[in-house]
Amino acid sequence: MTTDTTAGSTATPSATEYLILGASILGGDAADLLIRDGLIAVVGPEAADAASRGAVTIDAEGLVALPGMVDLHTHLREPGREDAETVETGSRAAALGGFTAIHAMANSSPVADTAGVVEQVYRLGLASGWVEVRPVGAVTVGLGGQRLAELGAMAESRASVRVFSDDGICVHDPVLMRRALEYVKAFDGVIAQHAQEPRLTEGAQMNEGEVSAVLGLTGWPAVAEESIIARDVLLAQHVGSRLHVCHVSTAGSVEIIRWAKARGIDVTAEVTPHHLLLTDELVRSYDPVYKVNPPLRTSDDVHALRAALADGTIDVVGTDHAPHPSEHKECEWAQAAMGMTGLETALSVVQHAMVETGLLDWEGFARVTSVAPARIGRLEHQGRPLAAGEPANLILVDPAARWTVDPSTMATKGRNSPFRGLELPGSVRATFYAGHPTVLEGRLATPRQAPAASMTGEAPAWNI
Amino acid sequence: MKHLLSTQDLSARNALRLLNVAEEMAAVGQREIKKLPALRGRTVVNLFFEDSTRTRISFEAAAKRLSADVINFAAKGSSVSKGESLKDTAQTLEAMSADAVVIRHPASGAPARLAASGWIDAAVVNAGDGTHEHPTQALLDAFTLRRHWAKLDGTPSAGTTLAGMKVLIVGDVLHSRVARSNVWLLTTLGAEVLLAGPPTLLPVGVGAWPCTVYYNLDDALAQRPDAVMMLRLQAERMNAAFFPSTREYSRRWGFDDGRLALLDTMGLDDTVIMHPGPMNRGLEISSAAADSPRSTVLAQVRNGVSVRMAALYLLLSGDSQDDPQDDQPENQADQPDQLATTPEGRTP
C-alpha cells in the first residue's frame, strides 16, 4: 500500500503523531503504541521515547486496542436513496461504530453492476474519508438474476471489487450461480450469496414456526435458506471456487456449513449482530422495527449461531446495516420494509452476546469482526496485527462502558434500530483509519483527507 | 380493556363479562324499542380496508342501538393503493374525535399497530385482520355455543362457561382468522377444541396450540363433538397447490349429506353445525347441512349484534370492573424499563 504522503499539506491531521498509552492489546497485556505516517510505528515501552514532542497523547488505561472492524455487509443506499442513507452518513456511523472498512452492497439505484457505479461509490467513500468504502458488485445485471454483470470490469476498475453479491435477492438459478462462482476465480473474487429460495418464501413475513402460526403472518421457513446453502456449497466444491454465505440465520444452516468445511469446501459464513441476540418472539408486537430478511429466528437458532461463531464455523460478523426512512417502518407489518440499522450497535451487541457470555475473548472478537472479513474481502491492509510496521487501522474500546441505545442520536440516517432502549456494554472511544483519528473520545473527529493522487485518477488507487 | 385486538390476550374473566353483557344486550333486542342511550354523543368509526358488508352492518347496528354516532369509512383496497398510509388515515380519524375505531384490514396486526402506535387515542376494535384474528366473530360463536350448552343443561346462559364442551373446527385453519380467535377463546372458556383439515392448510407450529389435530374428518367426528364449525374455503387456494381440486377437498373435508346423516346414526342429536359465513354451499358444507335444524348460521348472525354491542359498551363506558391481568401489556414496546433486562425475544 501507499501511505498518505500528500506533499505540502503539513496541516493535515494525519501528519500528527499519536501516542496511545497503556491500551490492552487484544484484551491482553497493556502496551503503548505510537502511530505515525499511517502506520503503527512502535509498540511497547519505547513508544513514548520514540514519539516526537508534538505527539498527541491518548490515555488508554482500561481500554482495549483492537484492529479496526471490517464490515462485509453494509447498505449505504447511495446512489438512489439518499433519503435513507448516503455514503457520508453511513461511513460516519461506521467510524463511530469502530469500523475502518465497510463493503457497500450493490442494491443501490442504479444497481452497482458496472465499473462506473462501483467507481462512483468508491470515490464517494474516498471523499468522505471516515472509513474505507469498498463497493460490492452485483452478480447479475440489475440484480435481475438473468445475465452476469461485468464482473471483470468491476474487478479491474479503480474500485478493485472482489466481493460480488445480489444481496437482497438470491442468485437462485443454479446454472447462473455455478457460472458466477467459476468466473470470479479469474480475479480471486468471491460470490456472497443471499440464500433464500424464492418460491418457498413468496410473501414471507417472518420466521415460519410457532409464532407465525399465532400471528397469521406468512412464514419464511428455515429450509428456504438451508436448501440454497446446501446447493451452493456443492457447486463451490464442484467448480473449486470460494463462496461466502451472507447472514446465516438458522441452526440447520450452521450444520450444513460445518459439514462443508469438514469436506474442505472453500466456504465462509457471516452472521449479523441481530441474529445473535433477537428472536421472533419480538414480532408479537407487530412493530416493523423487528422486520428483517432473513427474519429473526428462534432462541435455539440464536444459540446455534453463537456456538458456530465461537468455533469458527461462522467466520465473520456482518452488520447488514439497512437504514430505512421512517415512513417505511411506520405502517402495518406487511407493508413495512425489511432491515435494521447496525453499524453503531454491532460492537456492543457482539460484546454482549459473545464476549460477556465467555464464547469469545477479544482476540476472537478481532478475528470475527476484522481479520476474517478483511481476508474474505481481500483487504490486505485491514485486519492486521497490532504490531510495528502495520497499517494503523485500529480502535480503542472501553469494555466497561454501559449505554442505552437511542436511535435518534445516531449518525446514520436510519432510526430503525431494533435495540432501541436496550442497555448494552462497550463503547468505541477512538477509531484510527490509516493512522488518522476519525473518532476521538467517543465522538466524530475529522475525516481522513483523501490522497490527492487517488482522487484525480492519475495514479492507482491508494489501496490497490 | 382499552382495546379488543385478539382473543389470545383476553382473560377468562373479561371474556365472560363480554358474554354476560351480550346477554343483556340481546334482551334489549327483544324489546319493542331496541335502543339504549349508553353511548349517546360518542363516535364510532367503522374503518374497513376490506369489503365486508356483513361485519360492517353488524357493527353499525350495534353502535346505533347504543345511540352512538357512526361513521363508515370504506377504504376499499389497501391503504397503499389509495396512496394514504394507515398512519395518515388514523390521524384523520383522530382529528374527527373518534371514540372507537372498528378496523377491518387485510394485513395481520394492523389493529395492534394502530393501538400501540400512539397515532390515536381511540379504542381499537379488531374486526378481522389478515389471517390473524377476528375476536368478535369468536365471541359471537362462543355466545351461540354457550346458549346451546346452557339450554341442554337447563340453566341460564349468563355466567356459564363452555367446560366439558367439545368443538370441532374444520377446514382452512392456516388462512383463517376465525379459527385462530376461536381456538384461544373457546379453550379459555373451558371447551376442548379439535381441528381437522388438510395438512397443507394447518399452520406449521400448530402442534403448540391447545388442541388436537386430525387430518381425517371422519376420525375427528368419531370423537363425538358437540359442535362442528365449518370454515369458509377460498377456492383459489387450489391454485397454490394447497389441495388438488375442490371436489377432492369437498369429499374429504366437506360437511356433506353423508356426514350429516352420520351424526344421526351416531346418536349425536344435540350436535350443532356452525359456519361464520358466507358459505360455499356444496364445497365445505352441503345445502342440507346448512339448512338443517342443527345449523346455527342465522343465530350466529343475530348474536353478532349483541356481542358487538357488548364490546363497544365495555370499551367506551369506562368499565371499572376490568380484569387487571388484561392491563399488563404483552407488547414490550410499552415497557421500556424492562428492555434493560432480558425480555422475551432477546436471548440472554
Side-chain angles (χ1 to χ4, degrees), chain B residues 197-204 215 242 253:
Chain B
T200 47
L201 291 175
L202 293 160
V204 167
Y215 297 145
F242 285 105
W253 293 286

Side-chain angles (χ1 to χ4, degrees), chain A residues 336-380:
Chain A
M338 300 197 232
M340 305 170 163
T341 60
L343 287 170
E344 288 161 87
T345 45
L347 178 136
S348 294
V349 172
V350 176
Q351 182 184 341
H352 175 68
M354 300 300 296
V355 179
E356 302 207 333
T357 52
L359 290 164
L360 283 181
D361 55 15
W362 285 110
E363 195 173 346
F365 179 95
R367 168 171 59 79
V368 301
T369 61
S370 179
V371 179
R375 189 186 68 237
I376 293 165
R378 299 299 192 242
L379 303 184
E380 288 170 5

Side-chain angles (χ1 to χ4, degrees), chain A residues 437-464:
Chain A
T438 53
V439 172
L440 284 174
E441 294 177 351
R443 289 189 293 275
L444 283 173
T446 54
R448 174 180 181 271
Q449 274 199 355
S454 63
M455 293 300 284
T456 57
E458 287 162 8
W462 73 286
N463 51 2
I464 285 180

Side-chain angles (χ1 to χ4, degrees), chain A residues 237-294:
Chain A
Q237 179 183 41
H238 183 62
V239 302
S241 188
R242 65 187 180 113
L243 167 72
H244 177 69
V245 185
C246 295
H247 43 51
V248 169
S249 70
T250 78
S253 298
V254 167
E255 288 309 306
I256 294 164
I257 293 161
R258 191 171 279 136
W259 173 87
K261 287 191 165 184
R263 303 232 325 185
I265 298 171
D266 195 359
V267 58
T268 55
E270 162 190 301
V271 63
T272 69
H274 47 268
H275 286 113
L276 290 172
L277 187 62
L278 310 179
T279 72
D280 64 354
E281 289 292 331
L282 290 162
V283 183
R284 290 186 194 273
S285 68
Y286 286 106
D287 184 341
V289 80
Y290 302 116
K291 185 172 177 180
V292 65
N293 193 23

Side-chain angles (χ1 to χ4, degrees), chain A residues 324-341:
Chain A
H324 287 290
S326 60
E327 62 268 26
H328 290 183
K329 290 287 190 183
E330 283 187 334
C331 53
E332 51 275 34
W333 181 277
Q335 291 290 348
M338 300 197 232
M340 305 170 163
T341 60

